[in-house]
Structure formats: structure tokens, C-alpha cells
Amino acid sequence: MLKELEKYEFTGQTHIHEGRTLRQIRAIRDFGNINIRLVKAGTIGGWIENENNLSHIGNCWVSENARVFDKASVRQDAGVYDNAQVYGNAQVFGNAYIAENARIFENAQVFGESYVGGEAQISGNARVLDRAHVFGEAEVCDFGEVSENAYVANSTRVEMSEKVNETGLGDLKSDIFSETTNAEKEEESEFPFDFFKYAR
């Protein structure tokens, strides 16, 4: 990596997390776009284990108390924020947005313009892509996939080779979704997280 292309450096602060030494980052130039928060030179970021975890190319960023470690990678224009964690062999790329207390691990992939937040967990060989949203205490694991404009929330579990997309539940059994009537949905005026904070 050419020095002039680098966008962050290490602050010298370290943090032991799950037996690994994570290092805090700091932006050394301005970057960002309308899909993620603009990052100014001097901005203190989150924690990574090494430079393989966060690319210097593109507008990707790890912010606040977020952690990326092991062989996980964040690249292109993806963002990892709040207390979110990405580890194992997980990959987060495209314009994906990981926030709150979400965890992406094992061989999971989150990409496209997708959002994962709340206490959600994406693991195994699962994929979240396109403009899909996974939040609440939802879990996508094994070879599960959430795509297109699908929303998966509450304590929903997408597993095995189940798929959820904008046209329906795919081969997913509907009884694993929480049963909320239309009337109940109309009465619920708030999302379980601040959706508009992250909407693009």
C-alpha cells in the first residue's frame, strides 16, 4: 500500500478482546460518501487486529467501539459502527452497514446495501445482501440467505438453506416468524431500533 493511499493509522492504544490484541485506528485524511458517515482526518475510529481487517481502499470504516478481528475483512464502502463485531472469516463489503450490537462471524458475508443491527447475528455460511435488513434478535446462520428488500426481525431464525426475499418467504417455514397481526403492526409506531438513524 502506497503511503499516500493510506487513510488511517494506529493511535498506539490497544485493547485485549477475547485473547487478541486489538488496535485503535485514527483517520489521516478525509473520506466518505452519502451512504456512510463522512470521516474527517483526525477522527478516532474503532478497533481492528491488523490492517487486513480494514481496507485502505474505498470509504469503508470501523467506528466508535466496533471491533473487527481474526481473518475478518471490511472493504469497499462498508461501515461497522457502535458495538458491532465482525470476526472469524466474515466479510463485510459493498455499502453494507453493521451497527448497534450486531455480530457477523464464521464465514458469513454481508454486502450490497444491506443493514444488520440490534442484537442480530449472522454466522455460518449465511449471506445478507441487496437492500435486506436484519435486526432485533434475529439470526441468520448455516447457509441461510436474506436478500432483495426483505426485513427479518424479532427472534426470527433463518437457517439451513432457507431463503427470505422481497417476494415472500422463499422456502422458509412461516411459523418461525413472530405472529403479529396487521392491526398490531399498525399500533406499533416505533421500530425496535432507530431505523431512520441508519436509513439511506
Side-chain angles (χ1 to χ4, degrees):
M1 174 61 64
L2 297 174
K3 190 69 177 177
E4 58 267 26
L5 297 180
E6 293 182 356
K7 66 183 180 187
Y8 66 86
E9 62 185 3
F10 293 107
T11 65
Q13 296 295 315
T14 60
H15 170 66
I16 304 299
H17 180 70
E18 296 186 2
R20 295 180 177 272
T21 301
L22 306 188
R23 306 163 71 186
Q24 189 178 50
I25 58 174
R26 174 173 52 222
I28 56 177
R29 60 178 172 84
D30 297 349
F31 60 93
N33 61 29
I34 61 173
N35 291 315
I36 65 172
R37 303 173 188 176
L38 295 175
V39 178
K40 296 290 188 180
T43 299
I44 300 298
W47 305 82
I48 64 176
E49 189 170 0
N50 57 61
E51 291 183 76
N52 292 323
N53 299 135
L54 178 64
S55 176
H56 284 277
I57 300 172
N59 296 309
C60 54
W61 186 238
V62 176
S63 183
E64 297 153 355
N65 199 41
R67 303 176 179 91
V68 181
F69 55 99
D70 287 345
K71 296 181 180 179
S73 67
V74 177
R75 62 184 191 274
Q76 296 177 350
D77 293 334
V80 183
Y81 299 99
D82 305 323
N83 296 305
Q85 296 186 45
V86 182
Y87 55 98
N89 293 306
Q91 298 182 54
V92 178
F93 55 101
N95 287 311
Y97 202 113
I98 314 300
E100 299 183 296
N101 297 306
R103 294 192 178 198
I104 318 297
F105 56 101
E106 294 177 342
N107 297 308
Q109 295 185 343
V110 181
F111 56 102
E113 296 186 350
S114 55
Y115 168 86
V116 180
E119 304 289 333
Q121 295 189 22
I122 316 298
S123 63
N125 292 290
R127 303 198 313 164
V128 178
L129 61 152
D130 300 327
R131 293 184 64 85
H133 285 60
V134 180
F135 51 94
E137 296 181 354
E139 182 178 354
V140 185
C141 58
D142 301 326
F143 287 90
E145 181 178 289
V146 183
S147 63
E148 299 186 42
N149 292 312
Y151 281 71
V152 174
N154 302 324
S155 297
T156 302
R157 183 181 174 91
V158 180
E159 57 189 351
M160 303 301 287
S161 296
E162 296 165 338
K163 291 178 170 45
V164 181
N165 56 47
E166 69 173 351
T167 59
L169 302 181
D171 56 356
L172 182 65
K173 295 182 178 63
S174 61
D175 60 2
I176 71 169
F177 278 85
S178 62
E179 297 179 358
T180 304
T181 66
N182 290 331
E184 289 173 333
K185 289 179 180 178
E186 290 176 357
E187 291 177 0
E188 294 174 356
S189 60
E190 297 181 356
F191 282 87
F193 68 103
D194 186 358
F195 173 79
F196 296 102
K197 174 181 178 182
Y198 302 106
R200 291 190 286 271

